[in-house]
C-alpha cells in the first residue's frame, strides 16, 4: 500500500510539472511564432525567424524574447502579443519621425565602418539602401524624442543588470551631463557652443533673446537631432552583424560585454556618438579615414597598434569604483603604461610644459567654420540650422596655454549665431569648465567671445565667437621644429582651406588664415569663389563672413615663447637626433 501511495504521488508530481511546462510553453507565443520559419514566412516575415538557442549563442545571455523586447508572450494574437513591445527605430529624414513597424527586409550589413548597418527598401523588386532613412536607433530609445528611454531600459537591461543600470542612469553619458548645461546662446555660465544649446526645456530662454519668432516644432526637431547621438545601454553593448556559418556568436542578436572602440563611434550607424565631436568638430579623431571630413584623414597611430578607447580612458573595465558607463575624459596618466621613458624624459625636457598632443597632432580636418541661421531641419523650417559643412584642413594646430599653464593644441574656427538681441559677454578668452573642477566634470575646451555685430542685410544681429576645443587624438609623428619656431617673435600662422557642401548654396571653395601673436588671435583673409544660393536661403544665414570679413579676433598674448638662443634650432635642424640627447625633447 505504501509503495502504491508513493507511485501515485510521483505520478501527480510528474503531471503537475508536465502540465505547468506545457502551459508555459503554450503561453510563449514569441517562440511559437518566431521559432517556426514556415509560419513566419507565411506571414511575410521569414527574416524574423530565430530560435532561443540562437539568441543565447549570440547574446551570451539566457534572456527570453519578452525580457528584452517586452510585449505579451501570453497572447496568441499577433497585435495583442506585440502590444507595448520595444522595437528597433528607423528614423526618417522627414521630421526625424521614428518608425517602429515591421520591416519588409532585415537590416543589411556592409563593410563601410561608418555605415556598416543600413535599412533597406524595395525598389522594382530589388533591395536597395533606404534613402529616406536618417538614422537607426535601438529599442531603448524613446520614439518621440529619440533620447534614452529609461523606463524601457529599467524593464529590460535593468531587470537583470540592476547595479549597472543604476550606475549608468547617474553617469554623464546617461544624463547628457555636459551638453545639457548649454542653456542658450547667451548662457553666462557656459557660453555658446558649436553643437548649439540644449533645446529641450529652454524654449522660452532662447526665444527671449531671438529677434525672430521660433516655432515649438522647430525647437523639437533641433533637440531630436541632438538626441540621436546620446546613448542608451544598447549603443555600447549591442553589436548586430551578419550571421556567420562558422561562428555561432555572430548574428542579429550579438552583444559585447566590453564596448569596442567602434561602438564609441556609432558602431556602423553613421557618424554619430564620439565620431561627431572628434573627427567632425575637432577634426582630429581616433579613427579618421572614412570617418573624417574631408574623408581620408590619417588615423591615430594607436588604431594601428590596436590600442582602444578603454585602454587609455579609465572606466569600470579598469577600475570598478568608477561606475558603469563612466569613462574618464582625461587620459594623460595612461601614457606612462606604454611610454614610460618618454613620459619621464619629457618631464625633464625643455618642452616639459607642452602636452603630448601639442607636438604629435598635425593636419587637422573637420569644421573650419560653422554658422547657425534660418534654414530647414528634417523638412521643417527652423530659426537655427547648423551650416557646418565648411570642411577642410589646418596644417598644424594653434597652441595655447590651458588653465594650468600647459600648452595644448586647438583648432580656432569662426562661429556665429544670427538674430540675437543682446549679449552678456565681454570680449576675451573663456574656458568651458573651470580648472578646479574634478576630471569627470571638466574639459580643457576654450572659446573666445568676439562680439555682437550688426551690418547684415537680414538675420541681424550676429553673435560671433571662436571655437577652440582641445584636440587629443590623431596622434602620430611629431610636427617639425620649424612649424613652431620659424618666426622669432613666436607668431603662429596657419593657412586654412575648405569646401562648403551643406544646403543653401551650390558647393564652393574658400580659405582663411589663422594668425596668433602677442597682440591676439585673428581669423582673417576670409575668401571664396562665387557663392550661388539655392532658392529660399540668405547669404547672411550660411556665410555671414561675407559681410563681417575679419571681425573674428580676440585680444591677448597668443604667441609662442621666444627662443633665447636660435643657434639651438640651427643645430637641431642639422642633426635632429641631438634634440633628444641634449634634453630638448623627450627620448
Amino acid at each position: 500500500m505504501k509503495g502504491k501511495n508513493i507511485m501515485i504521488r510521483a505520478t501527480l508530481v510528474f503531471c503537475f510539472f508536465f502540465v505547468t511546462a506545457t502551459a508555459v510553453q503554450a503561453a510563449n507565443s514569441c517562440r511559437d511564432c518566431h521559432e517556426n520559419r514556415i509560419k513566419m514566412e507565411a506571414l511575410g516575415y521569414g527574416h524574423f525567424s530565430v530560435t532561443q538557442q540562437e539568441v543565447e549563442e549570440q547574446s551570451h545571455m539566457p534572456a527570453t524574447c519578452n525580457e528584452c523586447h517586452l510585449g505579451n508572450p501570453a497572447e496568441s494574437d499577433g497585435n495583442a502579443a506585440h502590444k507595448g513591445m520595444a522595437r528597433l527605430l528607423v528614423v526618417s529624414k522627414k521630421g526625424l519621425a521614428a518608425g517602429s513597424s515591421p520591416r519588409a527586409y532585415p537590416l543589411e550589413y556592409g563593410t563601410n565602418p561608418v555605415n556598416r548597418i543600413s535599412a533597406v527598401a524595395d525598389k522594382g523588386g530589388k533591395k536597395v539602401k533606404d534613402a529616406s532613412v536618417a538614422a537607426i536607433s535601438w529599442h531603448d530609445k524613446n520614439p518621440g524624442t529619440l533620447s534614452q528611454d529609461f523606463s524601457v531600459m529599467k524593464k529590460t537591461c535593468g531587470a537583470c543588470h540592476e547595479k549597472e543600470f543604476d550606475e549608468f542612469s547617474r553617469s554623464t553619458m546617461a544624463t547628457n551631463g555636459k551638453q545639457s548645461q548649454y542653456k542658450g546662446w547667451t548662457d553666462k555660465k557656459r557660453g555658446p557652443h558649436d553643437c548649439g544649446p540644449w533645446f529641450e526645456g529652454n524654449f522660452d530662454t532662447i526665444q527671449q533673446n531671438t529677434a525672430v519668432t521660433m516655432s515649438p516644432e522647430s525647437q523639437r526637431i533641433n533637440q531630436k537631432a541632438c538626441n540621436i547621438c546620446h546613448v542608451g545601454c544598447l549603443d555600447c553593448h549591442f553589436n548586430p552583424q551578419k550571421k556567420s556559418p562558422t561562428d555561432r556568436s555572430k548574428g542579429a542578436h550579438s552583444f559585447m560585454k566590453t564596448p569596442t572602440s567602434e561602438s564609441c563611434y556609432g558602431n556602423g550607424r553613421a557618424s554619430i556618438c564620439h565620431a561627431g565631436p572628434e573627427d567632425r568638430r575637432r577634426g582630429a579623431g581616433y579613427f579618421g579615414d572614412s570617418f573624417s571630413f574631408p574623408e581620408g584623414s590619417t588615423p591615430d597611430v594607436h588604431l594601428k597598434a590596436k590600442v582602444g578607447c578603454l585602454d587609455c580612458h579609465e572606466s569600470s573595465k579598469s577600475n570598478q569604483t568608477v561606475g558603469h558607463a563612466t569613462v574618464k575624459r582625461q587620459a594623460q596618466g595612461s601614457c606612462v603604461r606604454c611610454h614610460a621613458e618618454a613620459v619621464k624624459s619629457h618631464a625633464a625636457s625643455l618642452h616639459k610644459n607642452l602636452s603630448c598632443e601639442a607636438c604629435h597632432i598635425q593636419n587637422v580636418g573637420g569644421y573650419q567654420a560653422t554658422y547657425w541661421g534660418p534654414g530647414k531641419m528634417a523638412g521643417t523650417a527652423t530659426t537655427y540650422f547648423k551650416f557646418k559643412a565648411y570642411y577642410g584642413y589646418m596644417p598644424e594646430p594653434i597652441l595655447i596655454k590651458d588653465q594650468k599653464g600647459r600648452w595644448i593644441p586647438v583648432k580656432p574656427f569662426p562661429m556665429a549665431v544670427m538674430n540675437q538681441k543682446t549679449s552678456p559677454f565681454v570680449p576675451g578668452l573663456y574656458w568651458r569648465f573651470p580648472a578646479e573642477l574634478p576630471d569627470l566634470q571638466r574639459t580643457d575646451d576654450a572659446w573666445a567671445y568676439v562680439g555682437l555685430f550688426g551690418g547684415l542685410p537680414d538675420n541681424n544681429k550676429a553673435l560671433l565667437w571662436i571655437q577652440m576645443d582641445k584636440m587629443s587624438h590623431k596622434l602620430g609623428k611629431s610636427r617639425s621644429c620649424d612649424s613652431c619656431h620659424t618666426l622669432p617673435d613666436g607668431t603662429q600662422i596657419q593657412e586654412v582651406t575648405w569646401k562648403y557642401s551643406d544646403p543653401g548654396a551650390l558647393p564652393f571653395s574658400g580659405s582663411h588664415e589663422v594668425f596668433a601673436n602677442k597682440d591676439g588671435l585673428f581669423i582673417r583673409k576670409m575668401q571664396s569663389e562665387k557663392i550661388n544660393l539655392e532658392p529660399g536661403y540668405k547669404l547672411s544665414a550660411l556665410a555671414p563672413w561675407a559681410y563681417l570679413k575679419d571681425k573674428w579676433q580676440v585680444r591677448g598674448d597668443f604667441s609662442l615663447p621666444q627662443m633665447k638662443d636660435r643657434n639651438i634650432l640651427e643645430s637641431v635642424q642639422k642633426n635632429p637626433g641631438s634634440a633628444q640627447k641634449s634634453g630638448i625633447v623627450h627620448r
Side-chain angles (χ1 to χ4, degrees):
M1 186 67 180
K2 186 177 180 181
K4 187 175 181 180
N5 288 337
I6 292 173
M7 180 66 73
I8 291 171
R9 284 198 296 270
T11 303
L12 289 173
V13 170
F14 172 77
C15 289
F16 172 77
F17 281 112
F18 177 78
V19 171
T20 303
T22 303
V24 170
Q25 187 173 3
N28 195 335
S29 59
C30 305
R31 295 184 64 176
D32 288 344
C33 283
H34 290 277
E35 289 193 342
N36 189 332
R37 175 166 284 277
I38 295 175
K39 187 174 183 179
M40 291 300 294
E41 287 181 348
L43 292 170
Y45 297 104
H47 54 277
F48 283 138
S49 298
V50 65
T51 68
Q52 179 68 26
Q53 181 181 349
E54 287 178 307
V55 172
E56 291 186 14
E57 289 172 340
Q58 292 170 18
S59 68
H60 308 295
M61 293 180 284
T64 61
C65 306
N66 58 291
E67 286 176 321
C68 289
H69 292 280
L70 304 179
N72 190 348
E75 294 284 351
S76 58
D77 175 74
N79 291 328
H82 290 104
K83 187 176 181 180
M85 181 178 166
R87 303 175 185 266
L88 176 145
L89 303 179
V90 178
V91 184
S92 171
K93 290 178 180 177
K94 187 175 181 180
L96 297 181
S100 60
S101 58
R103 303 176 311 283
Y105 295 111
L107 295 175
E108 288 277 314
Y109 305 101
T111 57
N112 185 332
V114 181
N115 296 296
R116 180 178 67 84
I117 304 171
S118 59
V120 294
D122 186 285
K123 187 175 182 180
K126 292 184 178 180
K127 288 193 297 183
V128 296
K129 186 174 180 179
D130 194 337
S132 69
V133 174
I136 294 170
S137 286
W138 306 131
H139 66 254
D140 56 355
K141 298 292 182 68
N142 184 309
T145 64
L146 303 184
S147 191
Q148 303 98 327
D149 193 326
F150 287 96
S151 64
V152 169
M153 282 188 273
K154 187 173 183 178
K155 295 174 186 175
T156 56
C157 302
C160 293
H161 306 283
E162 188 174 352
K163 177 178 179 289
E164 288 81 2
F165 171 72
D166 179 61
E167 291 176 350
F168 168 74
S169 300
R170 292 182 279 111
S171 71
T172 301
M173 284 196 193
T175 59
N176 308 316
K178 290 290 192 300
Q179 191 57 34
S180 62
Q181 293 188 44
Y182 297 96
K183 305 298 183 182
W185 302 106
T186 54
D187 178 64
K188 291 182 180 180
K189 189 174 183 180
R190 297 287 177 249
H193 195 279
D194 173 77
C195 283
W198 194 249
F199 292 95
E200 183 181 359
N202 296 309
F203 179 84
D204 292 338
T205 300
I206 298 172
Q207 175 63 88
Q208 188 176 359
N209 201 52
T210 303
V212 296
T213 302
M214 294 162 48
S215 74
E217 175 62 13
S218 69
Q219 180 92 343
R220 188 180 68 85
I221 290 289
N222 276 106
Q223 184 61 46
K224 288 177 76 173
C226 295
N227 290 344
I228 289 174
C229 282
H230 295 280
V231 301
C233 304
L234 299 177
D235 288 298
C236 294
H237 295 286
F238 185 39
N239 188 30
Q241 51 198 296
K242 189 175 182 179
K243 198 171 181 179
S244 169
T246 57
D247 186 349
R248 298 181 68 87
S249 68
K250 291 183 178 180
H253 289 85
S254 292
F255 275 75
M256 50 197 169
K257 182 178 180 180
T258 300
T260 61
S261 298
E262 287 80 4
S263 73
C264 301
Y265 260 52
N267 206 14
R269 292 178 294 130
S271 180
I272 56 176
C273 301
H274 290 284
E278 294 301 331
D279 267 298
R280 200 184 274 256
R281 187 172 83 231
R282 298 171 199 271
Y286 171 77
F287 275 101
D289 202 9
S290 54
F291 280 99
S292 59
F293 299 84
E295 188 173 354
S297 181
T298 304
D300 192 297
V301 68
H302 294 94
L303 179 67
K304 187 176 181 180
K306 297 183 179 179
V307 177
C309 301
L310 298 184
D311 293 323
C312 292
H313 293 275
E314 190 177 30
S315 68
S316 57
K317 174 191 174 184
S318 51
N319 182 356
Q320 287 294 320
T321 64
V322 170
H324 196 75
T326 294
V327 180
K328 288 193 174 181
R329 187 186 190 102
Q330 288 78 13
Q332 291 94 335
S334 63
C335 301
V336 72
R337 292 203 303 268
C338 298
H339 308 287
E341 174 60 23
V343 170
K344 182 180 178 181
S345 59
H346 176 68
S349 74
L350 189 63
H351 289 80
K352 61 184 178 182
N353 290 328
L354 272 72
S355 68
C356 302
E357 305 93 318
C359 286
H360 288 278
I361 292 177
Q362 299 185 71
N363 205 30
V364 184
Y367 302 155
Q368 303 299 340
T370 300
Y371 307 108
W372 287 84
K376 283 189 175 182
M377 171 71 74
T380 299
T382 176
T383 306
Y384 295 119
F385 179 82
K386 183 179 178 181
F387 295 96
K388 62 185 182 297
Y390 282 84
Y391 295 133
Y393 287 107
M394 175 185 287
E396 277 105 10
I398 294 292
L399 304 185
I400 66 171
K401 280 187 178 181
D402 70 6
Q403 298 175 86
K404 296 181 179 180
R406 184 185 60 155
W407 291 90
I408 60 171
V410 298
K411 179 187 67 176
F413 61 91
M415 291 212 56
V417 56
M418 315 308 150
N419 297 302
Q420 300 301 290
K421 293 179 182 178
T422 61
S423 171
F425 307 117
V426 175
L429 182 69
Y430 295 85
W431 296 91
R432 299 288 185 192
F433 298 85
E436 59 268 19
L437 288 175
D439 283 355
L440 290 178
Q441 299 177 33
R442 180 177 54 81
T443 75
D444 293 313
D445 295 337
W447 68 284
Y449 178 63
V450 176
L452 184 66
F453 292 90
L456 301 175
D458 33 51
N459 296 314
N460 226 9
K461 300 176 180 176
L463 190 153
L464 274 58
W465 76 97
I466 300 173
Q467 189 85 7
M468 284 195 270
D469 293 331
K470 176 190 178 283
M471 290 176 290
S472 300
H473 300 98
K474 202 184 179 184
L475 295 164
K477 185 179 178 182
S478 175
R479 60 195 288 179
S480 69
C481 300
D482 284 345
S483 69
C484 287
H485 298 297
T486 296
L487 299 176
D489 64 352
T491 296
Q492 303 179 74
I493 303 175
Q494 293 295 326
E495 303 292 338
V496 181
T497 57
W498 42 261
K499 184 173 183 178
Y500 178 84
S501 56
D502 248 343
L506 298 179
F508 60 90
S509 299
S511 63
H512 64 258
E513 178 183 88
V514 180
F515 183 91
N517 67 359
K518 61 182 178 60
D519 297 320
L521 189 148
F522 310 87
I523 297 176
R524 60 189 195 180
K525 300 180 182 179
M526 302 180 76
Q527 58 184 333
S528 77
E529 58 190 359
K530 183 180 178 182
I531 301 175
N532 296 301
L533 295 174
E534 294 177 342
Y537 286 89
K538 300 289 187 180
L539 186 64
S540 58
L542 62 91
W545 60 266
Y547 303 103
L548 300 172
K549 299 298 182 183
D550 296 344
K551 294 291 187 184
W552 282 270
Q553 52 184 265
V554 59
R555 296 294 169 177
D557 187 353
F558 289 88
S559 63
L560 297 174
Q562 296 183 31
M563 296 185 68
K564 296 179 180 178
D565 183 359
R566 294 191 65 82
N567 291 325
I568 296 177
L569 177 63
E570 293 178 11
S571 65
V572 169
Q573 288 172 329
K574 294 177 181 177
N575 182 12
S578 64
Q580 292 179 318
K581 293 178 181 179
S582 59
I584 295 174
V585 297
H586 68 76
R587 293 189 295 276

